[in-house]
Amino acid sequence: MALNNTYDARLQQETAVGAGVQILLLALLGSAIGLGPAGWLTGLAFAFATWAVLSRALHRSSLRHFGPANRVTLGRATLVGGVTALVADSFRSTPPVTLLVALTAVALLLDGVDGKVARRTGTSSALGARFDMEVDAFLILVLSVYVSLELGPWVLLIGGMRYGFVAAARVAPWLNAPLPPSFARKTVAAIQGVCLLVAGSGLLPQPVNLGIVLSALTSLTWSFGRDVRWLWLNSRVPAPAPAEPRVLELAAR
């Protein structure tokens, strides 16, 4: 019991360090660009929520070490917190696009790093995969909010589709069934952040950005639709009946 408490304390220290780094990043952004109240409050709320949810998940998991891959993901989460603060501040004034793009680009580039680190170090875990997925999903949601200010609220469908799927699964449990691995699904998910980043950078004319984001939404809708169809069809397949117990016949001798 004492050993388990020691491991749990170490894991909680990792999450506390992550929250501290998040606050430090917010302080740096505040001193560099004059982060407003909305940015500060949103960034702090993100830091607290990440610390609270991750701490609870670690406490309930069987992990004994946080691991290098989870540290990379926690670093990505810190960058996402910075992007979130900048986007929240954009409702008050125009954010520094170069800084926003830089933080987002690094977060997207690191997306493929944590998985490779986990495989090479043999530290893959269900919690780590879920942590990585949630950070990705929230970054896409925040970018959707930012791009929607320029292109319209329909862009929020990109960021909200995954959360809508999770909500629907509470009503239709068959949506919780595991999906087979799919390279197409991974590719579609990866390009969402890139397309939103390009559209939010302001480097291209608005009609071009509109086409890019529409293409991203179309591919995401196709991917979710294909997965929902697969889950639905497989949920209709009746489970095989349990085998009848063999009756052992004893021959009279």
Side-chain angles (χ1 to χ4, degrees):
M1 180 64 72
L3 185 60
N4 289 336
N5 289 338
T6 299
Y7 282 124
D8 188 67
R10 290 178 180 176
L11 293 174
Q12 301 306 320
Q13 288 175 1
E14 296 270 7
T15 61
V17 170
V21 174
Q22 179 72 83
I23 295 173
L24 176 60
L25 176 60
L26 293 175
L28 291 174
L29 292 176
S31 62
I33 64 171
L35 199 63
W40 268 106
L41 290 175
T42 306
L44 290 174
F46 178 87
F48 177 78
T50 302
W51 169 79
V53 173
L54 186 56
S55 295
R56 180 176 175 81
L58 287 170
H59 180 71
R60 298 175 62 181
S61 72
S62 58
L63 289 182
R64 292 194 169 187
H65 301 282
F66 195 69
N70 284 331
R71 292 190 184 99
V72 174
T73 308
L74 186 57
R76 290 180 54 235
T78 301
L79 296 174
V80 172
V83 174
T84 302
L86 291 175
V87 171
D89 216 40
S90 68
F91 288 89
R92 175 184 64 94
S93 60
T94 303
V97 178
T98 302
L99 183 57
L100 179 66
V101 168
L103 292 177
T104 303
V106 175
L108 291 174
L109 288 173
L110 290 176
D111 185 22
V113 174
D114 43 14
K116 291 181 180 179
V117 171
R119 289 188 292 270
R120 289 186 178 182
T121 58
T123 55
S124 300
S125 66
L127 186 145
R130 180 64 181 273
F131 184 26
D132 178 59
M133 181 178 64
E134 295 298 341
V135 172
D136 291 341
F138 194 79
L139 176 59
I140 298 303
L141 177 61
V142 172
L143 291 176
S144 297
V145 171
Y146 180 66
V147 176
S148 71
L149 299 177
E150 180 68 23
L151 298 182
W154 62 269
V155 183
L156 297 174
L157 291 172
I158 295 178
M161 198 171 297
R162 189 257 173 183
Y163 294 100
F165 180 86
V166 172
R170 293 182 177 274
V171 180
W174 53 270
L175 290 171
N176 287 315
L179 287 163
S182 170
F183 178 76
R185 185 188 309 119
K186 292 181 179 180
T187 302
V188 169
I191 66 173
Q192 301 304 309
V194 176
C195 290
L196 290 171
L197 175 61
V198 171
S201 67
L203 297 176
L204 301 175
Q206 188 181 53
V208 177
N209 289 332
L210 179 63
I212 291 173
V213 178
L214 275 174
S215 298
L217 177 58
T218 301
S219 64
L220 188 63
T221 303
W222 168 81
S223 180
F224 269 95
R226 188 186 67 158
D227 286 345
V228 169
R229 181 176 182 274
W230 187 92
L231 291 169
W232 168 254
L233 292 177
N234 281 270
S235 71
R236 315 311 294 174
V237 177
E244 293 289 336
R246 289 186 176 182
V247 179
L248 300 179
E249 298 180 355
L250 300 178
R253 291 184 182 273

